[in-house]
Amino acid sequence: MNWADGESYVAIFVAFFVIRYVRNFLETPTRLPDWDMYFKRIWLTGFILMGLGEIFPRPWLIWFQLIVFLSIAYTVWQLYDLRPARTLLFAIAPYAIISCLESLVKSLSHSFYKKTDDYFESGATFSIIWLITFAVIAANQKKSLEKIRLEREKEAEQRRIIENKKNELEYLVAERTAEITRQKEELEEALKELKTTQTQLVQSEKMASLGELTAGIAHEIQNPLNFVNNFSEVSIELIDELEEEHAKPDRDVELETEILADLKQNLQKITHHGGRAASIVKGMLQHSRTSTGQREPTDINALSDEYLRLAYHGLRAKDKSFNATFTSDFDTSLGLVNMIPQDMGRVMLNLFTNAFYAVQQRQREGGDPNYKPTVTVSTRCVNGEVVITVSDNGTGMPEAVKQKIFQPFFTTKPTGEGTGLGLSMAYDIVTKGHNGTLEVDSKEGEGTTFKITIPA
Amino acid sequence: MGSAGMLKILVVDDEPDVKDLFQQRFRREIRNEEFRLDFANSGEEALSYLNGHASEVILILSDINMPGMSGFELLRQIRKDFNTPPSPVVMMITAYGDPNSEQMAVDLGANDFLTKPLDFAVLKQKLKEIV
């Protein structure tokens, strides 16, 4: 049999197309690029086998068919996870087996082949139908896989878009967060500064009230000092007179007794006025001293009286024409009350200063020629609580002002005259420092009354 | 000089100890009946006193800063209501010796302006000139 007969060329030709189809179908150039290099040339082995001719044991066609089928099987094996690939192998298998068997039988025993020719014919027909059927199934599988793949790609694309959006949003959020954090830090810084400023303001409020006091203090010390000096001088005169009388032969005993009584009285007055000055200095030191925050038994009547005078003279030192009556109505049975004297002194001073300011304002308005500016302080013990009231018949205040007076930095005084911290500090001292209450009652044009209540 | 018609000096001050101080400072003059000292604790009290003793009072020493009626107000009233000659000499006394107060006192008709602490030697000299 001639090697180069028509059947051989047809076989090579068919192998070429089958391999081309398989390569296309399974996309081996992209899926298995390394193997595809050889696979696409497999059909050429037909010519090699043809060329080798006699050397190779016959029949060469079987070898060629085996090479082609095994190469396809190997390809499918490599792509085992791909379902259409398996189906394809399944499609090709019967045809491959039958055609190999046919070629084998044909070459081994031609007579036997002649006898069984019909079986092979029908087997080949069946295997071709099988092949086509499964090729179609494989194609469909491939198509649906492709569809799924496309969907997945679409999904992946969408996911990527969503991911991008998410990243974008996250970037924005991070940016905003950074901005907010920066702003928060700035605000915290500002708050810190404000707190420092407030501390400084509270300090300067203390100093300002001390400044307001200095004139009052000076006056209040000057007065008793004058008496101390005057009574000392007059006592020296009295002693001179007494010595003179003593030297006389006819001593006037009655006069001597009178002079001695006066001397004693003067020395008592010196002690009294000296004590007055000393208590004012003590009060001033206490006022300027940082509060210990310690409660101690305090004579609230004496404290009130002292600050009432200081406030009055403090204001009068600034306005020489100012004149007011101040009266005190003290409950002498109160005794000593536990409180922080520096702090409560500050509260009293503030209330008195405000009261005198209010009566001064009303006096300046000059509406009533018979107006008598009056400030009154009273102390009482009511149900085991100490009640201190500070009343004035000054300008009073409208409801809108009354609502705000305990707020920090609220002031009705012209800029630069009040810090607006006085009453807010007073409120804190009474409520937080002494568990008490600070109430206000006011009528515009008639006056104001502040009432401090603290547990005794 | 009979005691009812004796020349009187009225001292007006809200500090009660001023009375003791003046009485001791002018002890000799009072004993020698050169003049008589009377005291008022407020402007109002001073005015009511003057209503009874206007003609006898030759000198009024008044503090300016007092609760209620101030020294200036008292001075204004004196110059208004007790001006029959011989009108009393009025000296204003204050702890705040500022030019404004002094000018105001002069404007209201004060004869003199003294600042605390009082120099009694100077005051005695001034009194001698008047009496």
Side-chain angles (χ1 to χ4, degrees):
Chain A
M1 198 171 91
N2 194 350
W3 273 106
D5 59 2
E7 201 186 349
S8 308
Y9 287 114
V10 168
I12 291 169
F13 190 70
V14 168
F16 174 76
F17 279 100
V18 166
I19 286 166
R20 223 176 93 130
Y21 169 76
V22 171
R23 282 180 63 227
N24 269 342
F25 187 77
L26 297 180
E27 294 161 10
T28 51
T30 49
R31 285 209 172 98
L32 306 162
D34 290 343
W35 163 245
D36 185 68
M37 298 272 288
Y38 307 102
F39 187 54
K40 68 179 178 191
R41 294 188 181 92
I42 282 292
W43 59 276
L44 290 171
T45 52
F47 293 106
I48 295 165
L49 288 170
M50 198 187 284
L52 289 173
E54 303 298 325
I55 304 162
F56 223 77
R58 302 165 65 121
W60 73 271
L61 198 61
I62 297 170
W63 296 111
F64 181 57
Q65 280 169 336
L66 275 175
I67 286 168
V68 171
F69 290 136
L70 286 176
S71 72
I72 291 170
Y74 178 65
T75 309
V76 171
W77 177 75
Q78 287 186 87
L79 298 168
Y80 193 75
D81 290 336
L82 207 64
R83 201 164 163 230
R86 297 200 301 272
T87 313
L88 189 70
L89 186 66
F90 198 56
I92 289 171
Y95 177 74
I97 292 162
I98 284 172
S99 54
C100 283
L101 206 66
E102 189 188 1
S103 301
L104 190 70
V105 170
K106 206 170 167 184
S107 60
L108 285 178
S109 163
H110 201 71
S111 56
F112 184 72
Y113 173 72
K114 280 278 181 214
K115 271 189 242 168
T116 56
D117 190 23
D118 290 344
Y119 298 113
F120 281 112
E121 279 292 313
S122 50
T125 313
F126 166 75
S127 66
I128 283 167
I129 292 166
W130 174 280
L131 189 145
I132 290 166
T133 312
F134 277 91
V136 169
I137 290 169
N140 280 341
Q141 279 177 345
K142 198 193 161 194
K143 232 185 257 169
S144 64
L145 268 182
E146 189 69 10
K147 213 167 122 193
I148 290 166
R149 194 181 59 84
L150 276 175
E151 271 170 15
R152 291 230 174 106
E153 262 177 21
K154 218 161 140 191
E155 269 171 32
E157 178 70 16
Q158 265 166 355
R159 262 208 300 277
R160 215 176 51 242
I161 289 167
I162 289 167
E163 189 74 15
N164 278 347
K165 282 254 168 71
K166 204 178 118 201
N167 285 345
E168 231 168 78
L169 277 174
E170 262 170 15
Y171 175 74
L172 273 178
V173 167
E175 215 176 38
R176 294 277 153 80
T177 310
E179 199 179 323
I180 288 166
T181 311
R182 194 173 46 77
Q183 283 176 345
K184 187 184 137 247
E185 276 164 7
E186 277 176 8
L187 282 175
E188 273 173 354
E189 192 58 35
L191 186 69
K192 221 170 85 192
E193 271 176 42
L194 270 175
K195 277 186 177 159
T196 316
T197 314
Q198 196 178 6
T199 316
Q200 286 169 348
L201 269 171
V202 167
Q203 193 56 35
S204 69
E205 163 72 25
K206 277 190 211 167
M207 288 299 125
S209 61
L210 191 67
E212 266 174 28
L213 277 183
T214 40
I217 288 163
H219 178 270
E220 283 292 275
I221 293 174
Q222 176 93 61
N223 250 354
L225 269 183
N226 286 345
F227 279 115
V228 168
N229 290 336
N230 282 321
F231 281 113
S232 304
E233 280 168 32
V234 91
S235 296
I236 291 169
E237 283 176 17
L238 286 177
I239 289 170
D240 287 344
E241 208 179 329
L242 192 63
E243 278 174 347
E244 245 173 63
E245 200 59 39
H246 208 69
K248 280 184 189 165
D250 54 333
R251 284 164 58 185
D252 183 344
V253 181
E254 204 182 306
L255 181 70
E256 279 183 11
T257 315
E258 193 193 314
I259 291 172
L260 281 172
D262 280 351
L263 268 174
K264 189 177 177 185
Q265 192 194 34
N266 286 357
L267 290 175
Q268 280 167 347
K269 285 193 191 303
I270 288 169
T271 313
H272 168 71
H273 288 288
R276 224 173 108 188
S279 96
I280 289 155
V281 172
K282 194 177 142 213
M284 184 185 72
L285 289 177
Q286 216 163 41
H287 184 83
S288 60
R289 204 171 60 198
T290 315
S291 170
T292 54
Q294 290 297 313
R295 294 191 194 189
E296 43 191 276
T298 308
D299 182 350
I300 184 68
N301 294 344
L303 190 81
S304 304
D305 190 54
E306 188 180 313
Y307 279 104
L308 182 64
R309 287 166 183 285
L310 289 181
Y312 175 65
H313 292 294
L315 190 63
R316 221 182 35 185
K318 276 199 272 184
D319 178 6
K320 303 284 189 306
S321 64
F322 175 66
N323 213 34
T325 307
F326 52 92
T327 53
S328 44
D329 173 15
F330 293 135
D331 182 348
T332 47
S333 69
L334 263 178
L336 300 181
V337 180
N338 257 331
M339 59 176 68
I340 309 164
Q342 299 94 321
D343 288 356
M344 202 44 90
R346 214 160 274 145
V347 173
M348 301 305 292
L349 176 68
N350 199 271
L351 296 184
F352 292 140
T353 309
N354 286 344
F356 282 121
Y357 183 81
V359 293
Q360 183 196 32
Q361 289 301 110
R362 187 163 167 198
Q363 193 179 39
R364 277 187 184 169
E365 284 169 11
D368 179 5
N370 292 319
Y371 175 63
K372 286 199 189 310
T374 310
V375 173
T376 310
V377 58
S378 76
T379 54
R380 288 284 178 277
C381 184
V382 181
N383 299 329
E385 289 183 316
V386 179
V387 180
I388 308 160
T389 52
V390 177
S391 310
D392 66 68
N393 61 349
T395 47
M397 50 194 157
E399 191 60 31
V401 172
K402 211 175 93 179
Q403 299 286 332
K404 291 183 190 163
I405 51 167
F406 296 122
Q407 289 175 9
F409 305 110
F410 177 80
T411 179
T412 56
K413 291 182 184 174
T415 312
E417 278 190 34
T419 57
L421 284 174
L423 277 177
S424 120
M425 267 171 58
Y427 189 81
D428 281 356
I429 289 170
V430 173
T431 57
K432 290 182 194 158
H434 293 85
N435 302 320
T437 55
L438 178 56
E439 293 162 272
V440 61
D441 186 27
S442 184
K443 222 168 203 177
E444 211 178 350
E446 286 185 23
T448 304
T449 299
F450 280 93
K451 187 166 119 186
I452 303 171
T453 310
I454 52 172
Chain B
M1 276 193 285
S3 84
M6 196 196 290
L7 294 176
K8 284 173 181 150
I9 294 172
L10 178 65
V11 181
V12 190
D13 201 309
D14 58 315
E15 286 273 4
D17 278 352
V18 165
K19 182 178 172 182
D20 290 315
L21 187 65
F22 270 77
Q23 277 176 340
Q24 290 187 26
R25 280 289 192 182
F26 292 103
R27 155 180 217 101
R28 281 173 203 268
E29 287 81 357
I30 293 167
R31 219 169 14 171
N32 297 340
E33 299 193 331
E34 288 171 37
F35 47 73
R36 208 183 125 173
L37 286 177
D38 276 309
F39 298 90
N41 272 328
S42 67
E44 290 87 346
E45 212 178 291
L47 281 180
S48 66
Y49 176 88
L50 281 173
N51 277 324
H53 308 81
S55 57
E56 301 160 23
V57 176
I58 53 158
L59 175 67
I60 298 163
L61 283 166
S62 176
D63 188 17
I64 291 175
N65 309 111
M66 291 180 291
M69 184 188 287
S70 76
F72 288 135
E73 186 54 34
L74 175 65
L75 176 58
R76 194 180 289 121
Q77 298 277 329
I78 291 168
R79 287 295 177 242
K80 199 178 114 215
D81 298 335
F82 303 95
N83 229 4
T84 40
S87 48
V89 174
V90 180
M91 292 185 184
M92 303 304 288
I93 306 169
T94 179
Y96 306 105
D98 61 304
N100 279 353
S101 298
E102 187 165 358
Q103 189 54 52
M104 193 165 172
V106 172
D107 288 348
L108 286 169
N111 300 85
D112 213 335
F113 187 83
L114 307 171
T115 51
K116 287 183 181 177
L118 282 177
D119 186 335
F120 281 90
V122 173
L123 183 61
K124 273 183 190 175
Q125 193 56 45
K126 284 180 193 266
L127 289 188
K128 274 188 182 129
E129 283 164 22
I130 295 163
V131 176

